[in-house]
């Protein structure tokens, strides 16, 4: 049976039993095959845009004896599915901008889809912003660390009261008497992740701070006005992250 990485196992955990799944950018169809082998999906589509990955996915499905359950298809994004054919869509291992683009371009194919499970490698805020604009409700989110990398997994659903739920989810949040997060910062940090304040979240943002320090160190070599302005902006961004994380740790204690 197929074994999954910690990242893909986290995504699999958000797929409800009996789902009709579309896994876009399926990476050898690992996730659909894993779920089908365990009877967790009634039907699955493994979508790939290029011939090479599609052939690798077909081989994986054939070797698992699951051709009757997992359909491997080649196409761009959600073009591989028909409206009302699927009720859960997973997209993982891409940038947040690309995931948002795939969803926007294929939103006509989301009829009948009740759950999105999305794992952007970067720009998670862009995915949250797309969900919010499309009246999808962020129902859960996780942050995990694997092989020195940090990943966020976002699970969103359709609700009749999406507007009300989203208004509450992204409402101004006071962490203590001295610090409050507005909706844009909640979109950046993750409203549910902020509430949980897991240790992995602190490690993730510590890693981001280290990246910002390296960028600013490099920029200090340049003497242009534009470089100075950009460095000032990054420093303000860095200081705000540090302030939020310090406050969260104090609240958690």
């Amino acid at each position: 049976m197929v074994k999954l990485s910690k990242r893909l196992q986290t995504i699999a955990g958000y797929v409800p039993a009996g789902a009709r799944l579309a896994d876009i950018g399926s990476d050898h169809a690992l996730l659909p095959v894993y779920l089908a082998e365990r009877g967790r999906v009634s039907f699955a589509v493994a979508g790939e845009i290029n011939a090479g990955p599609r052939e690798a996915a077909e081989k994986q499905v054939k070797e698992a004896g699951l051709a009757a359950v997992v359909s491997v298809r080649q196409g761009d994004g959600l073009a591989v599915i028909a409206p009302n054919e699927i009720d859960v869509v997973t997209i993982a291992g891409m940038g947040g901008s690309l995931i948002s683009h795939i969803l926007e371009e294929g939103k006509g194919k989301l009829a009948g889809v009740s759950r999105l499970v999305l794992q952007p490698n970067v720009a998670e805020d862009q995915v949250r912003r797309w969900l919010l604009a499309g009246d999808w409700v962020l129902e859960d989110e996780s942050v995990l660390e694997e092989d020195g990398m940090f990943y966020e997994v976002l699970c969103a659903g359709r609700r009749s009261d999406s507007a009300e739920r989203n208004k509450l989810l992204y409402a101004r949040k006071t962490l203590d008497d001295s610090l409050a997060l507005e909706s844009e910062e909640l979109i950046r940090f993750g409203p549910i992740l902020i509430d949980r304040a897991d240790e992995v979240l602190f490690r993730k943002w510590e890693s981001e701070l280290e990246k910002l320090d390296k960028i600013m160190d490099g920029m200090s070599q340049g003497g242009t006005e534009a470089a100075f302005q950009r460095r000032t902006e990054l420093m303000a961004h860095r200081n705000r992250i540090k302030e939020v994380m310090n406050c969260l740790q104090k609240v958690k204690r």
Side-chain angles (χ1 to χ4, degrees):
M1 297 180 81
V2 165
K3 293 183 179 180
L4 297 182
S5 64
K6 184 179 179 181
R7 177 179 65 90
L8 288 178
Q9 283 177 344
T10 302
I11 295 167
Y14 284 119
V15 178
R20 293 174 295 135
L21 171 72
D23 185 38
I24 306 302
S26 197
D27 186 22
H28 293 67
L30 292 175
L31 181 64
V33 167
Y34 174 90
L35 292 168
E37 285 179 332
R38 289 155 180 79
R40 291 267 308 281
V41 292
S42 59
F43 172 69
V45 172
E48 285 289 358
I49 191 170
N50 295 317
R54 185 212 73 218
E55 291 166 2
E58 287 174 340
K59 180 180 179 182
Q60 183 82 260
V61 171
K62 183 178 179 181
E63 290 177 351
L66 289 168
V69 181
V70 180
S71 174
V72 179
R73 302 175 187 176
Q74 185 175 347
D76 189 0
L78 296 175
V80 297
I81 62 173
N84 298 303
E85 182 183 25
I86 296 298
D87 50 39
V88 177
V89 171
T90 54
I91 310 178
M94 308 175 195
S97 177
L98 179 54
I99 289 176
S100 300
H101 174 75
I102 288 171
L103 292 168
E104 183 63 24
E105 287 294 303
K107 61 185 178 182
K109 298 292 185 74
L110 295 176
V113 174
S114 59
R115 177 168 291 189
L116 300 173
V117 186
L118 311 169
Q119 182 268 298
N121 286 344
V122 294
E124 298 89 351
D125 60 319
Q126 292 190 34
V127 178
R128 291 190 187 94
R129 195 168 283 108
W130 185 91
L131 293 170
L132 183 58
D135 281 335
W136 288 85
V137 178
L138 187 64
E139 296 178 337
D140 198 10
E141 51 185 356
S142 302
V143 59
L144 63 119
E145 182 179 4
E146 184 173 39
D147 298 330
M149 300 291 290
F150 294 92
Y151 303 101
E152 293 184 13
V153 181
L154 315 181
C155 178
R158 289 193 187 276
R159 299 292 187 104
S160 59
D161 58 348
S162 292
E164 292 81 3
R165 285 175 176 268
N166 279 327
K167 186 176 180 180
L168 288 172
L169 186 63
Y170 292 103
R172 189 173 190 265
K173 183 183 296 294
T174 302
L175 299 184
D176 63 13
D177 293 336
S178 62
L179 191 146
L181 298 179
E182 303 294 342
S183 60
E184 276 300 310
E185 289 189 303
L186 292 171
I187 288 171
R188 181 201 305 170
F189 291 110
I192 299 172
L193 296 179
I194 283 288
D195 279 343
R196 289 187 182 143
D198 294 337
E199 287 302 319
V200 181
L201 182 68
F202 295 119
R203 293 201 299 273
K204 176 200 165 155
W205 285 104
E206 187 62 36
S207 173
E208 291 299 318
L209 289 172
E210 291 173 2
K211 291 176 186 176
L212 284 171
D213 286 341
K214 288 180 181 178
I215 292 171
M216 288 188 293
D217 286 345
M219 294 180 72
S220 66
Q221 307 301 322
T224 67
E225 179 63 30
F228 176 79
Q229 181 63 33
R230 180 57 179 156
R231 192 176 191 281
T232 302
E233 292 170 356
L234 289 175
M235 179 61 76
H237 179 52
R238 181 204 184 281
N239 290 343
R240 182 57 173 175
I241 293 171
K242 190 71 174 176
E243 182 182 25
V244 171
M245 291 302 119
N246 285 343
C247 184
L248 269 181
Q249 287 178 320
K250 184 172 73 172
V251 170
K252 187 175 182 181
R253 286 196 297 266

